[in-house]
mmCIF file of all heavy atoms in Angstrom:
data_model
loop_
_atom_site.group_PDB
_atom_site.id
_atom_site.type_symbol
_atom_site.label_atom_id
_atom_site.label_comp_id
_atom_site.label_asym_id
_atom_site.label_seq_id
_atom_site.Cartn_x
_atom_site.Cartn_y
_atom_site.Cartn_z
ATOM 1 N N PRO Q 1386 11.620 2.392 20.302
ATOM 2 C CA PRO Q 1386 11.470 3.168 19.071
ATOM 3 C C PRO Q 1386 12.284 2.636 17.902
ATOM 4 O O PRO Q 1386 11.843 2.695 16.751
ATOM 5 C CB PRO Q 1386 11.956 4.562 19.476
ATOM 6 C CG PRO Q 1386 11.708 4.629 20.952
ATOM 7 C CD PRO Q 1386 11.975 3.232 21.452
ATOM 8 N N ASP Q 1387 13.476 2.092 18.180
ATOM 9 C CA ASP Q 1387 14.295 1.573 17.084
ATOM 10 C C ASP Q 1387 13.632 0.365 16.427
ATOM 11 O O ASP Q 1387 13.628 0.235 15.191
ATOM 12 C CB ASP Q 1387 15.698 1.214 17.581
ATOM 13 C CG ASP Q 1387 15.687 0.392 18.863
ATOM 14 O OD1 ASP Q 1387 14.603 0.163 19.425
ATOM 15 O OD2 ASP Q 1387 16.771 -0.039 19.298
ATOM 16 N N LEU Q 1388 13.051 -0.521 17.243
ATOM 17 C CA LEU Q 1388 12.325 -1.666 16.687
ATOM 18 C C LEU Q 1388 11.066 -1.207 15.952
ATOM 19 O O LEU Q 1388 10.724 -1.726 14.888
ATOM 20 C CB LEU Q 1388 11.930 -2.638 17.801
ATOM 21 C CG LEU Q 1388 12.977 -3.642 18.264
ATOM 22 C CD1 LEU Q 1388 12.411 -4.481 19.393
ATOM 23 C CD2 LEU Q 1388 13.423 -4.532 17.123
ATOM 24 N N THR Q 1389 10.391 -0.231 16.514
ATOM 25 C CA THR Q 1389 9.183 0.292 15.882
ATOM 26 C C THR Q 1389 9.493 0.832 14.491
ATOM 27 O O THR Q 1389 8.720 0.626 13.548
ATOM 28 C CB THR Q 1389 8.560 1.404 16.744
ATOM 29 O OG1 THR Q 1389 8.196 0.865 18.018
ATOM 30 C CG2 THR Q 1389 7.327 1.986 16.078
ATOM 31 N N ALA Q 1390 10.627 1.516 14.345
ATOM 32 C CA ALA Q 1390 11.017 2.048 13.035
ATOM 33 C C ALA Q 1390 11.162 0.930 12.005
ATOM 34 O O ALA Q 1390 10.758 1.079 10.842
ATOM 35 C CB ALA Q 1390 12.327 2.823 13.158
ATOM 36 N N VAL Q 1391 11.711 -0.201 12.433
ATOM 37 C CA VAL Q 1391 11.855 -1.351 11.528
ATOM 38 C C VAL Q 1391 10.486 -1.887 11.129
ATOM 39 O O VAL Q 1391 10.226 -2.173 9.950
ATOM 40 C CB VAL Q 1391 12.691 -2.469 12.195
ATOM 41 C CG1 VAL Q 1391 12.734 -3.716 11.309
ATOM 42 C CG2 VAL Q 1391 14.104 -1.977 12.476
ATOM 43 N N PHE Q 1392 9.586 -2.011 12.115
ATOM 44 C CA PHE Q 1392 8.234 -2.508 11.830
ATOM 45 C C PHE Q 1392 7.488 -1.559 10.891
ATOM 46 O O PHE Q 1392 6.722 -1.997 10.034
ATOM 47 C CB PHE Q 1392 7.453 -2.666 13.135
ATOM 48 C CG PHE Q 1392 8.028 -3.690 14.073
ATOM 49 C CD1 PHE Q 1392 7.981 -3.495 15.449
ATOM 50 C CD2 PHE Q 1392 8.606 -4.849 13.582
ATOM 51 C CE1 PHE Q 1392 8.510 -4.442 16.322
ATOM 52 C CE2 PHE Q 1392 9.143 -5.801 14.446
ATOM 53 C CZ PHE Q 1392 9.095 -5.594 15.806
ATOM 54 N N VAL Q 1393 7.707 -0.260 11.047
ATOM 55 C CA VAL Q 1393 7.065 0.727 10.184
ATOM 56 C C VAL Q 1393 7.518 0.557 8.739
ATOM 57 O O VAL Q 1393 6.708 0.613 7.804
ATOM 58 C CB VAL Q 1393 7.373 2.158 10.677
ATOM 59 C CG1 VAL Q 1393 6.953 3.189 9.632
ATOM 60 C CG2 VAL Q 1393 6.656 2.439 11.982
ATOM 61 N N VAL Q 1394 8.815 0.339 8.553
ATOM 62 C CA VAL Q 1394 9.356 0.164 7.204
ATOM 63 C C VAL Q 1394 8.724 -1.050 6.525
ATOM 64 O O VAL Q 1394 8.253 -0.964 5.374
ATOM 65 C CB VAL Q 1394 10.890 0.011 7.250
ATOM 66 C CG1 VAL Q 1394 11.427 -0.448 5.887
ATOM 67 C CG2 VAL Q 1394 11.540 1.324 7.648
ATOM 68 N N PHE Q 1395 8.701 -2.171 7.225
ATOM 69 C CA PHE Q 1395 8.121 -3.381 6.638
ATOM 70 C C PHE Q 1395 6.625 -3.215 6.376
ATOM 71 O O PHE Q 1395 6.114 -3.684 5.360
ATOM 72 C CB PHE Q 1395 8.384 -4.581 7.545
ATOM 73 C CG PHE Q 1395 9.757 -5.155 7.397
ATOM 74 C CD1 PHE Q 1395 10.720 -4.939 8.378
ATOM 75 C CD2 PHE Q 1395 10.113 -5.886 6.278
ATOM 76 C CE1 PHE Q 1395 11.998 -5.454 8.241
ATOM 77 C CE2 PHE Q 1395 11.392 -6.403 6.129
ATOM 78 C CZ PHE Q 1395 12.342 -6.184 7.109
ATOM 79 N N THR Q 1396 5.934 -2.537 7.283
ATOM 80 C CA THR Q 1396 4.505 -2.304 7.080
ATOM 81 C C THR Q 1396 4.263 -1.458 5.839
ATOM 82 O O THR Q 1396 3.371 -1.746 5.035
ATOM 83 C CB THR Q 1396 3.891 -1.602 8.302
ATOM 84 O OG1 THR Q 1396 4.042 -2.432 9.454
ATOM 85 C CG2 THR Q 1396 2.415 -1.314 8.085
ATOM 86 N N GLY Q 1397 5.077 -0.419 5.666
ATOM 87 C CA GLY Q 1397 4.914 0.455 4.510
ATOM 88 C C GLY Q 1397 5.165 -0.247 3.199
ATOM 89 O O GLY Q 1397 4.367 -0.145 2.254
ATOM 90 N N VAL Q 1398 6.277 -0.970 3.116
ATOM 91 C CA VAL Q 1398 6.624 -1.667 1.870
ATOM 92 C C VAL Q 1398 5.610 -2.761 1.561
ATOM 93 O O VAL Q 1398 5.123 -2.891 0.424
ATOM 94 C CB VAL Q 1398 8.051 -2.256 1.965
ATOM 95 C CG1 VAL Q 1398 8.361 -3.097 0.729
ATOM 96 C CG2 VAL Q 1398 9.065 -1.138 2.112
ATOM 97 N N PHE Q 1399 5.277 -3.560 2.586
ATOM 98 C CA PHE Q 1399 4.310 -4.637 2.392
ATOM 99 C C PHE Q 1399 2.928 -4.082 2.065
ATOM 100 O O PHE Q 1399 2.215 -4.598 1.186
ATOM 101 C CB PHE Q 1399 4.246 -5.499 3.653
ATOM 102 C CG PHE Q 1399 3.341 -6.701 3.526
ATOM 103 C CD1 PHE Q 1399 3.722 -7.793 2.772
ATOM 104 C CD2 PHE Q 1399 2.105 -6.710 4.161
ATOM 105 C CE1 PHE Q 1399 2.882 -8.896 2.656
ATOM 106 C CE2 PHE Q 1399 1.263 -7.809 4.045
ATOM 107 C CZ PHE Q 1399 1.649 -8.904 3.287
ATOM 108 N N GLY Q 1400 2.536 -3.013 2.768
ATOM 109 C CA GLY Q 1400 1.231 -2.411 2.530
ATOM 110 C C GLY Q 1400 1.108 -1.846 1.132
ATOM 111 O O GLY Q 1400 0.047 -1.969 0.492
ATOM 112 N N ALA Q 1401 2.164 -1.232 0.619
ATOM 113 C CA ALA Q 1401 2.131 -0.690 -0.742
ATOM 114 C C ALA Q 1401 1.993 -1.808 -1.766
ATOM 115 O O ALA Q 1401 1.254 -1.682 -2.751
ATOM 116 C CB ALA Q 1401 3.391 0.125 -1.007
ATOM 117 N N ALA Q 1402 2.698 -2.921 -1.538
ATOM 118 C CA ALA Q 1402 2.624 -4.055 -2.464
ATOM 119 C C ALA Q 1402 1.238 -4.694 -2.432
ATOM 120 O O ALA Q 1402 0.641 -4.981 -3.487
ATOM 121 C CB ALA Q 1402 3.695 -5.085 -2.118
ATOM 122 N N VAL Q 1403 0.707 -4.922 -1.226
ATOM 123 C CA VAL Q 1403 -0.623 -5.528 -1.097
ATOM 124 C C VAL Q 1403 -1.699 -4.576 -1.623
ATOM 125 O O VAL Q 1403 -2.660 -5.005 -2.271
ATOM 126 C CB VAL Q 1403 -0.905 -5.899 0.378
ATOM 127 C CG1 VAL Q 1403 -2.348 -6.333 0.556
ATOM 128 C CG2 VAL Q 1403 0.039 -7.011 0.819
ATOM 129 N N GLY Q 1404 -1.526 -3.281 -1.352
ATOM 130 C CA GLY Q 1404 -2.496 -2.305 -1.830
ATOM 131 C C GLY Q 1404 -2.606 -2.298 -3.339
ATOM 132 O O GLY Q 1404 -3.705 -2.189 -3.906
ATOM 133 N N GLU Q 1405 -1.478 -2.443 -4.007
ATOM 134 C CA GLU Q 1405 -1.491 -2.494 -5.473
ATOM 135 C C GLU Q 1405 -2.253 -3.719 -5.958
ATOM 136 O O GLU Q 1405 -2.991 -3.663 -6.952
ATOM 137 C CB GLU Q 1405 -0.060 -2.502 -6.001
ATOM 138 C CG GLU Q 1405 0.052 -2.274 -7.497
ATOM 139 C CD GLU Q 1405 1.486 -2.060 -7.940
ATOM 140 O OE1 GLU Q 1405 2.406 -2.245 -7.111
ATOM 141 O OE2 GLU Q 1405 1.689 -1.700 -9.108
ATOM 142 N N ALA Q 1406 -2.086 -4.847 -5.258
ATOM 143 C CA ALA Q 1406 -2.816 -6.059 -5.639
ATOM 144 C C ALA Q 1406 -4.310 -5.899 -5.370
ATOM 145 O O ALA Q 1406 -5.147 -6.333 -6.171
ATOM 146 C CB ALA Q 1406 -2.262 -7.253 -4.858
ATOM 147 N N LEU Q 1407 -4.655 -5.250 -4.246
ATOM 148 C CA LEU Q 1407 -6.069 -5.036 -3.913
ATOM 149 C C LEU Q 1407 -6.755 -4.128 -4.931
ATOM 150 O O LEU Q 1407 -7.949 -4.281 -5.203
ATOM 151 C CB LEU Q 1407 -6.197 -4.436 -2.520
ATOM 152 C CG LEU Q 1407 -5.942 -5.370 -1.336
ATOM 153 C CD1 LEU Q 1407 -5.987 -4.590 -0.026
ATOM 154 C CD2 LEU Q 1407 -6.965 -6.505 -1.316
ATOM 155 N N MET Q 1408 -6.004 -3.191 -5.483
ATOM 156 C CA MET Q 1408 -6.579 -2.294 -6.474
ATOM 157 C C MET Q 1408 -7.097 -3.050 -7.683
ATOM 158 O O MET Q 1408 -8.052 -2.630 -8.345
ATOM 159 C CB MET Q 1408 -5.533 -1.265 -6.916
ATOM 160 C CG MET Q 1408 -5.196 -0.243 -5.858
ATOM 161 S SD MET Q 1408 -6.577 0.846 -5.486
ATOM 162 C CE MET Q 1408 -6.758 1.665 -7.042
ATOM 163 N N ALA Q 1409 -6.443 -4.177 -7.988
ATOM 164 C CA ALA Q 1409 -6.874 -4.978 -9.138
ATOM 165 C C ALA Q 1409 -8.091 -5.833 -8.804
ATOM 166 O O ALA Q 1409 -8.786 -6.301 -9.704
ATOM 167 C CB ALA Q 1409 -5.726 -5.865 -9.607
ATOM 168 N N LEU Q 1410 -8.373 -6.040 -7.509
ATOM 169 C CA LEU Q 1410 -9.472 -6.904 -7.094
ATOM 170 C C LEU Q 1410 -10.703 -6.132 -6.642
ATOM 171 O O LEU Q 1410 -11.834 -6.583 -6.845
ATOM 172 C CB LEU Q 1410 -9.005 -7.823 -5.947
ATOM 173 C CG LEU Q 1410 -7.848 -8.785 -6.273
ATOM 174 C CD1 LEU Q 1410 -7.408 -9.520 -5.006
ATOM 175 C CD2 LEU Q 1410 -8.276 -9.783 -7.343
ATOM 176 N N LEU Q 1411 -10.501 -4.971 -6.010
ATOM 177 C CA LEU Q 1411 -11.615 -4.208 -5.468
ATOM 178 C C LEU Q 1411 -12.089 -3.149 -6.468
ATOM 179 O O LEU Q 1411 -11.268 -2.508 -7.127
ATOM 180 C CB LEU Q 1411 -11.203 -3.523 -4.165
ATOM 181 C CG LEU Q 1411 -10.746 -4.450 -3.027
ATOM 182 C CD1 LEU Q 1411 -10.287 -3.626 -1.837
ATOM 183 C CD2 LEU Q 1411 -11.874 -5.392 -2.624
ATOM 184 N N PRO Q 1412 -13.395 -2.949 -6.561
ATOM 185 C CA PRO Q 1412 -13.936 -1.956 -7.506
ATOM 186 C C PRO Q 1412 -13.863 -0.538 -6.944
ATOM 187 O O PRO Q 1412 -14.887 0.117 -6.721
ATOM 188 C CB PRO Q 1412 -15.385 -2.417 -7.685
ATOM 189 C CG PRO Q 1412 -15.739 -3.034 -6.369
ATOM 190 C CD PRO Q 1412 -14.476 -3.686 -5.860
ATOM 191 N N LEU Q 1413 -12.645 -0.047 -6.682
ATOM 192 C CA LEU Q 1413 -12.469 1.285 -6.109
ATOM 193 C C LEU Q 1413 -12.314 2.304 -7.238
ATOM 194 O O LEU Q 1413 -11.211 2.539 -7.726
ATOM 195 C CB LEU Q 1413 -11.246 1.314 -5.187
ATOM 196 C CG LEU Q 1413 -11.278 0.383 -3.973
ATOM 197 C CD1 LEU Q 1413 -10.005 0.509 -3.162
ATOM 198 C CD2 LEU Q 1413 -12.496 0.672 -3.103
ATOM 199 N N LYS Q 1414 -13.413 2.899 -7.637
ATOM 200 C CA LYS Q 1414 -13.379 3.875 -8.719
ATOM 201 C C LYS Q 1414 -13.144 5.298 -8.211
ATOM 202 O O LYS Q 1414 -12.754 6.179 -8.974
ATOM 203 C CB LYS Q 1414 -14.695 3.822 -9.497
ATOM 204 C CG LYS Q 1414 -14.951 2.479 -10.169
ATOM 205 C CD LYS Q 1414 -16.257 2.472 -10.936
ATOM 206 C CE LYS Q 1414 -16.501 1.113 -11.595
ATOM 207 N NZ LYS Q 1414 -17.779 1.078 -12.355
ATOM 208 N N SER Q 1415 -13.374 5.513 -6.933
ATOM 209 C CA SER Q 1415 -13.208 6.837 -6.346
ATOM 210 C C SER Q 1415 -11.734 7.105 -6.020
ATOM 211 O O SER Q 1415 -11.055 6.275 -5.408
ATOM 212 C CB SER Q 1415 -14.045 6.954 -5.073
ATOM 213 O OG SER Q 1415 -13.667 8.082 -4.324
ATOM 214 N N ALA Q 1416 -11.266 8.277 -6.410
ATOM 215 C CA ALA Q 1416 -9.896 8.666 -6.081
ATOM 216 C C ALA Q 1416 -9.720 8.794 -4.573
ATOM 217 O O ALA Q 1416 -8.652 8.507 -4.028
ATOM 218 C CB ALA Q 1416 -9.548 9.983 -6.769
ATOM 219 N N THR Q 1417 -10.788 9.209 -3.881
ATOM 220 C CA THR Q 1417 -10.738 9.340 -2.427
ATOM 221 C C THR Q 1417 -10.516 7.984 -1.759
ATOM 222 O O THR Q 1417 -9.700 7.853 -0.845
ATOM 223 C CB THR Q 1417 -12.048 9.959 -1.908
ATOM 224 O OG1 THR Q 1417 -12.277 11.198 -2.572
ATOM 225 C CG2 THR Q 1417 -11.980 10.185 -0.415
ATOM 226 N N ALA Q 1418 -11.238 6.973 -2.222
ATOM 227 C CA ALA Q 1418 -11.097 5.631 -1.647
ATOM 228 C C ALA Q 1418 -9.711 5.071 -1.915
ATOM 229 O O ALA Q 1418 -9.092 4.461 -1.034
ATOM 230 C CB ALA Q 1418 -12.167 4.706 -2.231
ATOM 231 N N ARG Q 1419 -9.209 5.272 -3.121
ATOM 232 C CA ARG Q 1419 -7.878 4.747 -3.454
ATOM 233 C C ARG Q 1419 -6.799 5.436 -2.618
ATOM 234 O O ARG Q 1419 -5.876 4.788 -2.112
ATOM 235 C CB ARG Q 1419 -7.603 4.930 -4.947
ATOM 236 C CG ARG Q 1419 -8.487 4.080 -5.851
ATOM 237 C CD ARG Q 1419 -7.937 4.043 -7.271
ATOM 238 N NE ARG Q 1419 -7.986 5.370 -7.897
ATOM 239 C CZ ARG Q 1419 -8.988 5.806 -8.638
ATOM 240 N NH1 ARG Q 1419 -10.043 5.040 -8.844
ATOM 241 N NH2 ARG Q 1419 -8.951 7.018 -9.180
ATOM 242 N N GLY Q 1420 -6.916 6.748 -2.458
ATOM 243 C CA GLY Q 1420 -5.931 7.472 -1.662
ATOM 244 C C GLY Q 1420 -5.977 7.072 -0.201
ATOM 245 O O GLY Q 1420 -4.940 6.895 0.439
ATOM 246 N N ALA Q 1421 -7.203 6.923 0.340
ATOM 247 C CA ALA Q 1421 -7.343 6.531 1.740
ATOM 248 C C ALA Q 1421 -6.761 5.145 1.985
ATOM 249 O O ALA Q 1421 -6.149 4.882 3.017
ATOM 250 C CB ALA Q 1421 -8.811 6.575 2.154
#
């Protein structure tokens, strides 16, 4: 579990950064799609 917590942190930070970049590339006009 301690290692998993570390992996979760990196996944969250990296995912938020990549998600922001994807928003500029993908035509996601729906608020539902962006939130999901």
